[in-house]
Amino acid sequence: VMKFCARSSRLCFLVAAALGFLQLSLPGRHSNAGEARTPELQQLIEAAKAEGGRFIADAVIDDARGRKEAEIAMEKLFGFKVTWEAVDLMNQNQFASRLLKEIQAGRQPSTDVFNGTQSTIPRLMQGNALESVDHWQALLPRIPKEAIVSGGGALAERTRIGGFAYNTNMVPANKVPRKMDDFVDPFWKGKLASTTYAAVWDRAGVRQDGTYDAEKAQRIADLLTRLVKEKHIVGILRCGDESRISSGEFGGLALLCSQDTVDLARRKGAPIQMAFLEETSNLTHSYLGLMKRAKYPNMAKLFMVFIQTIEGQALLRKWEATDTSFYPENDMYKLVQSLKKKNVDPPYIDIPAYLKARDEVEKWKDVYQRILIGQK
């Protein structure tokens, strides 16, 4: 090639230019925030840089090493030094209450970006605690409209699918439940735990359009009553206590909030797996909310954009064992598609659907909690 270029430098230049154009035209080349920046994104980058590249966020990536990788990735994408000030998340509901009090008192909130769910993000929305944003797609065109919460103050950042966590050393393949009634099998006597807050059971009756299946809710109440009475459910845990399943203290947790904690445990060699029941599994999201009166509002917004990039989603996969189901290259997108092929088609309960069904969810949650906790 060098000899060819030496003989015909002009032709060599034209070939190199053509190859460069072809490379830039390849599919996926413009899919991240580091290439083909929109004018709106460039303006935000400059504003964030002027803030010193700092932002405050809670509970998005728990491991400090992962947050450091996020800083490095953002520096590479946006061209300036980034510092992530992490805030310890107490209880999510308690933290949301604290933020609301801070906003109502006219104080600066404890975090710039709040990491919440379909139940806590609406509380901040109703308390007028989140900023209004109408140009996420102008900043990053790849963000789908379905990921943007009404008003624009929050973006879906990861997908959660609730299900049944079980110990693979204790549960043979032919005993892994596929439907609710599989738990009445005598095999499960003395082996099951549930949560203090009836995780996933309470949302099992929510349909994708936000209506509530009261008949299914009653069947669940009857089932839980039977499982407690016949001593199939003999323990009360919380989501986050998966180690008590891995250790063999219980054979399974019926039901677990989300698959990501199980996947993280499996990466470390724990004998634990998830089963997704066609009657109870549903698809929800965790969200990033942009707080009003944030200390570093532009940097916070840029961080929320970053999480939607290919690089940001890859970091969630690496450190949190999850991503969102909105992007075809993502693991959660592939998991949802595989569940559909297995006739487990979890309904997507977005924030509007949850709000529509919330009264019924809370009513039946109370019923299930009294069954589980009152007879534990």
Side-chain angles (χ1 to χ4, degrees):
V1 173
M2 294 301 295
K3 290 180 180 179
F4 170 78
C5 287
R7 291 197 300 269
S8 181
S9 59
R10 183 173 183 272
L11 181 58
C12 184
F13 172 79
L14 292 173
V15 170
L19 288 173
F21 177 79
L22 177 61
Q23 184 183 27
L24 289 173
S25 302
L26 290 174
R29 288 288 295 176
H30 300 287
S31 60
N32 67 48
E35 301 174 15
R37 292 176 183 167
T38 65
E40 292 85 354
L41 179 57
Q42 185 59 45
Q43 183 178 4
L44 178 61
I45 289 171
E46 295 302 322
K49 184 177 180 181
E51 290 178 343
R54 307 181 76 88
F55 68 97
I56 307 170
D58 73 277
V60 183
I61 298 177
D62 286 332
D63 195 303
R65 295 170 298 172
R67 294 195 295 271
K68 184 61 179 178
E69 283 195 20
E71 291 175 348
I72 294 170
M74 293 177 73
E75 290 169 12
K76 184 177 179 181
L77 279 178
F78 304 131
F80 62 92
K81 182 173 176 55
V82 171
T83 302
W84 180 343
E85 297 181 13
V87 178
D88 287 334
L89 178 71
M90 304 170 289
N91 171 281
Q92 185 185 122
N93 284 298
Q94 292 174 358
F95 196 39
S97 297
R98 172 180 168 179
L99 292 171
L100 283 170
K101 291 177 182 177
E102 291 171 341
I103 292 295
Q104 290 164 1
R107 299 199 302 270
Q108 181 181 292
S110 300
T111 185
D112 296 340
V113 180
F114 173 73
N115 189 200
T117 64
Q118 79 284 345
S119 61
T120 51
I121 288 293
R123 288 178 59 194
L124 296 183
M125 293 169 61
Q126 292 165 355
N128 198 28
L130 297 182
E131 282 288 359
S132 178
V133 182
D134 61 3
H135 59 289
W136 290 116
Q137 290 177 310
L139 293 168
L140 190 67
R142 106 185 198 108
I143 299 176
K145 64 180 181 180
E146 294 83 6
I148 304 170
V149 175
S150 177
L155 295 176
E157 53 103 16
R158 71 184 71 186
T159 297
R160 296 152 49 92
I161 305 180
F164 177 64
Y166 64 95
N167 185 305
T168 55
N169 291 337
M170 297 175 63
V171 182
N174 67 335
K175 293 298 182 180
V176 176
R178 304 299 174 194
K179 296 184 177 182
M180 296 189 302
D181 289 342
D182 290 342
F183 290 124
V184 303
D185 188 318
F187 169 82
W188 291 110
K189 187 168 184 175
K191 293 185 176 73
L192 293 176
S194 193
T195 64
T196 57
Y197 31 84
V200 184
W201 295 113
D202 58 338
R203 298 195 308 266
V206 183
R207 301 185 181 96
Q208 191 154 315
D209 63 359
T211 57
Y212 201 87
D213 188 339
E215 182 180 346
K216 179 191 283 188
Q218 185 60 58
R219 286 198 294 117
I220 290 173
D222 294 341
L223 173 66
L224 292 178
T225 299
R226 179 177 176 182
L227 294 179
V228 169
K229 182 178 180 180
E230 297 181 2
K231 299 191 182 305
H232 288 213
I233 293 178
V234 291
I236 297 294
L237 310 181
R238 62 179 177 82
C239 292
D241 284 343
E242 293 83 4
S243 62
R244 296 176 68 180
I245 306 301
S246 302
S247 69
E249 181 181 353
F250 300 99
L253 177 56
L255 297 164
L256 177 72
C257 302
S258 180
Q259 80 298 326
D260 51 343
T261 51
V262 166
D263 289 341
L264 282 172
R266 289 180 62 222
R267 287 182 182 181
K268 298 175 183 178
I272 192 170
Q273 183 59 281
M274 282 286 283
F276 299 99
L277 281 62
E278 62 185 70
E279 297 166 294
T280 61
S281 290
N282 46 61
L283 189 156
T284 62
H285 284 90
S286 287
Y287 300 85
L288 297 185
L290 181 61
M291 298 299 301
K292 284 190 173 180
R293 288 196 287 276
K295 186 174 183 179
Y296 307 108
N298 293 297
M299 193 61 218
K301 187 184 296 184
L302 189 61
F303 170 67
M304 290 173 65
V305 169
F306 167 73
I307 289 295
Q308 298 296 322
T309 66
I310 290 174
E311 293 83 354
Q313 291 288 297
L315 282 173
L316 287 182
R317 278 195 300 278
K318 178 177 179 179
W319 293 101
E320 298 291 311
T322 190
D323 48 29
T324 82
S325 56
F326 290 123
Y327 302 115
E329 71 272 14
N330 280 1
D331 288 348
M332 292 307 298
Y333 177 91
K334 296 168 187 174
L335 174 59
V336 171
Q337 299 308 309
S338 70
L339 290 177
K340 289 180 178 180
K341 292 177 181 178
K342 297 175 184 176
N343 294 321
V344 180
D345 190 2
Y348 172 32
I349 305 173
D350 60 11
I351 285 179
Y354 177 80
L355 290 177
K356 185 176 179 180
R358 182 168 58 182
D359 289 347
E360 288 294 306
V361 170
E362 292 301 319
K363 181 182 79 174
W364 286 102
K365 179 197 288 281
D366 181 64
V367 171
Y368 302 154
Q369 285 181 301
R370 284 189 284 107
I371 293 170
L372 293 168
I373 300 174
Q375 302 181 51
K376 69 176 181 178

